[in-house]
Amino acid sequence: MGLTKQYLRYVASAVFGLIGSQKGNIVFVTLRGEKGRYVAVPACEHVFIWDLRKGEKILILQGLKQEVTCLCPSPDGLHLAVGYEDGSVRIFSLLSGEGNVTFNGHRAAITSLKYDQLGGRLASGSKDTDIIVWDVINESGLYRLKGHKDAITQALFLQGKNLLLSSGKDTMVKWWDLDTQHCFRTTVGHRTEVWGLVLVSEEKRLITGASDSELRAWDIAYLQEIEDLGEPEPKKIKGSSAGKQDTREAEGGIIEGDEAPEDRILTCTKAGSLMREGRDRVVNLAADKTGRILACHGNDSVLELFYILSKEEMQKKMEKKMKRARKKARLNSGKGEEEDLEVKVEMTLQDEIQRVTNIKTSAKIKSFDLIHSPQGELKAVFLLQNNLIELYSLSPLTPALQPVRTSRVTLGGHRSDVRTLSFSSDNMAVLSAAADSIKVWNRSTLQCIRTMACDYALCSFFVPGDRQVVIGTKTGKLQLCDLASGTLLEMVDAHNGAVWSVSLSPDQRGFVTGGADKAVKFWDFELVKDENSPQKRLSVTQTRALQLEEDVLCVRYSPDQKLVAVSLLDCTVKVFYVDTLKFFLSLYGHKLPVICMDISYDGALIATGSADRSVKIWGLDFGDCHKSLFAHDDSVMYLQFVPKTHLFFTSGKDRKIKQWDADRFEHVQTLEGHHQEIWCLAVSPSGDYVVSSSHDKSLRLWERTREPLILEDERELQREAEYEESVAKEGQPAVPGETQGENYFTGKKTIETVKAAERIMEAVELYREETAKMKEHKAICKAAGKEVPLPTNPILMAYGNISPSAYVLEIFKGIKSSELEESLLVLPFSYVPDVLSLLQEFIQLGSDVEPLCKGLFFLLRIHFGQITSNQMLVPLIEKLKETTISKVRQVRDVIGFNIAGLEFLKRECEAKSEVMFYADATSHLEEKKRKRRKREKLILTLT
């Protein structure tokens, strides 16, 4: 057997050129104690934290593979909850930037995340129509709420009451009682999807936004509060709610029974509607922390702001209205001042919720967030569709409340998709060009070092010397730009249609262009006299042209500069001699046009990539097709050889970059990471780096490592990954939303939970074997009448020579809290008796009581029937009952004592600080008096 050919692995190095991606929402975060300065935005699978004042990226919260779809900061400002496309939720610490907690429970993308008032619970809503409430402190799921028939759009906790409110695309707003985990009321006054909901006016009013230009307002009355106001008898309440029933049913507001059992907790009646200016659906609806400012936007670039009056302001307004109405009535009746007239004045919803102003952004709004600064001004931050962040501030002191744009983050990315990339000859600079701008990036720091305006760019290259760049545009012009000054040196009308391709000549004295006007043109560089300066400047002149029958899509020089290959719209590639422009070869075989091609460094091979999803490798001597490879699941967009090798990279609309070996016709590796179609890529002259651009607005850098890649191992890893994916997908319905028996557990079977269950099983088996060995050993010692050495298990030695039962405990501790229940669910019952006896032993010792009790109660719950019917387990269960009650009581007492101690310390500190405070206040007063005396003396002397 011969040696296997070794390749070197390329790995993802960085994501850049992206400010924020469209799928998730932007949120203000508190860092270093500062509010309103830092924002978190989703960036493909990562989360970027931007400093709005400096316009710099200061922290990256690293994701895995899935795209971020939702963000929510915790109330204490120390953590950020991030929801992903695959339904997982991770909680990151903003201090360390690490994601320690992962919740897996949803089967589809997360659409909503909300913390409760204290930040102890987190509600996540998903496209799989479920809401799951998670215990953040215990790192586990509490319960799953099922009831919606379509994706969840918003879920909110009601402060001070154990209730949850949710809206969905199924036109419903549901109210959940979290004590019983049931939906006790469904509000059905909407005809279309409910896209957002928000609670205002101390949670006495609900505002909902749907697919029309109405914002509907609902009044909420809590039953306890109605009773406190002087309706002590339950009969009275039933009567009053029944009295309102007919009017409410007429509005189509609520599904009612005969006796409205849902009114026992609260009532929700429609209060009216507010009209928005936008005609399309509400995309986002939100209120600030105070609940006084309401904001919403549709599919456009306008944010509408409303102000909600407080009770005092309402009272004043009513009084003014009454005065005016009385005055008007007097004038109409013609009676004197002394007679008081009966006047009726009603407060409308429009009086209570007033339109303040609109904020117009520079592009379509994707999401926004509001915050009040300590100075009293309102700050609104926007994530826009064109890869941009804008911050507006609205001060109550400015006339007519004009919003002012205070900062924007623009430098870190293009406004539109990057269509061309190229490397400088020293591998240090990367050029990216889009529809309106060219950017040059430093490859090592990933900072943008130059930005220049341009037309819609389609192809580009660095001029030898790396001081200028040439851009081919959609309008048929060639633009020559100077990097040092960032200016356009020259614009040449090259083609009558788009310039689809450029190729630098191997002797570096010129280049060739191909365009949509069916022409291939040859150009030379030359130095011309500049009118503005004594020095000469670089220019380009056309030397020859080759007219063809079809549009030219791609041109490439051969390395010896003897041949030029031209790809045409008729699906063929024609090869011509450079010197005479005579026809040499025609490469035909693709079913659709060849979009990209490249010639190897030795001129022996030409590889062509086509819209028919295949790549063909041809010999350039006779034009014979060596091999046709089915390369991608969609069009092949770009192809380039790695310098000095016969390896080449292809990128496709299927979001993948693949490396191939043109000698062995093997697929070497796949680079996955982009979330949308890939437009182009560039391989550095050294072959150490690859940079790619995609429709997800990100640029990605891939780096060649020194790690060898063996194809057989790679295929094995691929098969393993496919198996793991199939394990995780097992038991999922084929049709989304279809239920196969109810699943009330909050977790979801993943490869991690399966592995954790296997680890528990292995540990229990090892415990069984070792205990059996111990018994044998004791018998042998007894028979021999002396101590015989016991062989130690190598696994136990690796853990520091611990006992078998301690090893099982270690394994238990190693399972994440969020995965514990799901792993125990997979555990076969034959292992449960052993696990229960071990848990009894561990709890008796008093170590890790809380997680062990959690596992114990879960096992008892799921295997209740089998455990209670097994007579052998009765004494064990009795023991467990005694042990757990006493140990949990002990733990509770310790915690109680600690809390009391902390409270005492807090009071001590407060008492000390008050003394300090009074001392400070006295000195301040003395200072003030001194200043006043000084001022009085001064006035006296002046007079």
Side-chain angles (χ1 to χ4, degrees), residues 549-597:
E549 296 82 58
E550 294 283 345
D551 288 15
V552 177
L553 297 180
C554 188
V555 289
R556 283 290 176 270
Y557 268 116
S558 68
D560 57 7
Q561 211 170 327
K562 285 184 179 172
L563 304 170
V564 62
V566 182
S567 137
L568 301 174
L569 203 58
D570 63 2
C571 312
T572 64
V573 175
K574 295 205 165 24
V575 185
F576 297 90
Y577 289 106
V578 173
D579 48 5
T580 60
L581 297 185
K582 280 186 178 169
F583 175 74
F584 171 48
L585 289 172
S586 178
L587 315 176
Y588 55 88
H590 282 289
K591 294 181 181 67
L592 287 170
V594 172
I595 297 171
C596 51
M597 61 181 176

Side-chain angles (χ1 to χ4, degrees), residues 61 107 141 213 293 329 338 515 549 607 654 658 671 762 891 934:
L61 307 178
R107 295 183 302 280
S213 53
I293 304 279
E338 62 282 346
E549 296 82 58
D654 61 354
K658 295 186 178 181
L671 306 176
E762 282 168 14
V891 171
K934 215 175 185 181

Side-chain angles (χ1 to χ4, degrees), residues 458 472-478 492-500 513-521 523 542 545-548 551-552:
L458 293 174
T473 67
K474 205 173 187 175
T475 52
K477 293 183 171 60
L478 282 176
V492 183
D493 287 324
H495 292 267
N496 294 328
V499 181
W500 286 116
T513 60
D517 59 355
K518 306 179 183 178
V520 174
K521 296 188 178 179
W523 306 79
Q542 186 188 331
L546 172 63
Q547 201 61 37
L548 296 157
D551 288 15
V552 177

